């Protein structure tokens, strides 16, 4: 079963985010869910006991220089629940949501070290178009 994420999922979403290497608290996840607003969707995949086993964050991207597309910002399946079709089900949901918001294309970025994830995406019909460097500039701390 699949549904949109809710505030009461925050603890489990944070736990799964840690499997991706992101140290985020349940309180932050709860706040971020509220702050996301239009153009975002967070879906969860549940097991037979209605426990969250996977989640995916989607974002509609509109840019001046290209047609709109949906970015899969994050997708994680619990390590113990992998290879059971949950990731594929989430990708199907992503395609459905993209169609509903008028975006003909799905895109995602994946860390170069996530080789298993890359194989999954290729099997799901994605093609790697390029590699990029990721740059960050943090705001200076106010004194």
């Amino acid at each position: 079963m699949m549904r949109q994420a809710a505030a009461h999922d925050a603890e489990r979403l944070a736990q799964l985010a840690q499997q991706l290497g992101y140290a985020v608290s349940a309180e932050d996840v709860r706040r971020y869910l509220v702050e996301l607003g239009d153009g975002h969707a967070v879906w969860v995949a549940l097991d037979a006991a209605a426990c969250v086993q996977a989640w995916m964050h989607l974002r509609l991207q509109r840019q001046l220089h290209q047609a709109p597309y949906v970015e899969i910002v994050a997708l994680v399946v619990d390590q113990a629940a992998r290879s059971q079709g949950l990731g594929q089900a989430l990708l199907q949901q992503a395609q459905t949501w993209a169609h509903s918001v008028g975006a003909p294309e799905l895109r995602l970025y994946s860390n170069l070290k996530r080789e298993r994830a890359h194989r999954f995406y290729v099997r799901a019909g994605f093609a790697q178009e390029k590699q990029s460097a990721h740059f960050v500039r943090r705001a200076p701390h106010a004194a």
Side-chain angles (χ1 to χ4, degrees), residues 59-69 71 107 109:
R59 173 176 53 202
L60 175 62
Q61 291 282 35
R62 293 191 182 275
Q63 298 177 10
L64 183 61
H65 62 286
Q66 57 188 329
Y69 62 92
E71 179 183 350
R107 296 184 190 179
Y109 302 92

Side-chain angles (χ1 to χ4, degrees), residues 42-60:
V42 179
W43 293 91
V44 295
L46 310 172
D47 63 14
C51 296
V52 173
Q53 295 300 312
W55 63 263
M56 168 183 66
H57 175 189
L58 304 172
R59 173 176 53 202
L60 175 62

Side-chain angles (χ1 to χ4, degrees), residues 4-120:
Q4 288 205 12
H8 67 269
D9 298 318
E11 184 70 39
R12 184 66 174 141
L13 298 178
Q15 291 169 355
L16 290 172
Q18 290 175 8
Q19 290 186 20
L20 284 177
Y22 298 103
V24 62
S25 70
E27 296 79 27
D28 284 342
V29 169
R30 199 171 289 109
R31 187 176 80 247
Y32 298 157
L33 278 171
V34 170
E35 293 173 351
L36 285 177
D38 292 341
H40 293 263
V42 179
W43 293 91
V44 295
L46 310 172
D47 63 14
C51 296
V52 173
Q53 295 300 312
W55 63 263
M56 168 183 66
H57 175 189
L58 304 172
R59 173 176 53 202
L60 175 62
Q61 291 282 35
R62 293 191 182 275
Q63 298 177 10
L64 183 61
H65 62 286
Q66 57 188 329
Y69 62 92
V70 167
E71 179 183 350
I72 300 171
V73 178
L75 188 156
V76 59
V77 176
D78 188 300
Q79 292 170 346
R82 292 187 182 155
S83 299
Q84 297 177 20
L86 295 175
Q88 192 68 305
L90 285 169
L91 290 179
Q92 286 290 94
Q93 182 60 47
Q95 195 69 58
T96 299
W97 190 78
H99 179 74
S100 76
V101 297
E105 186 172 274
L106 288 175
R107 296 184 190 179
L108 62 94
Y109 302 92
S110 182
N111 193 309
L112 292 175
K113 67 183 178 184
R114 297 191 195 285
E115 294 176 10
R116 183 176 179 194
H118 299 172
R119 291 189 300 273
F120 166 74

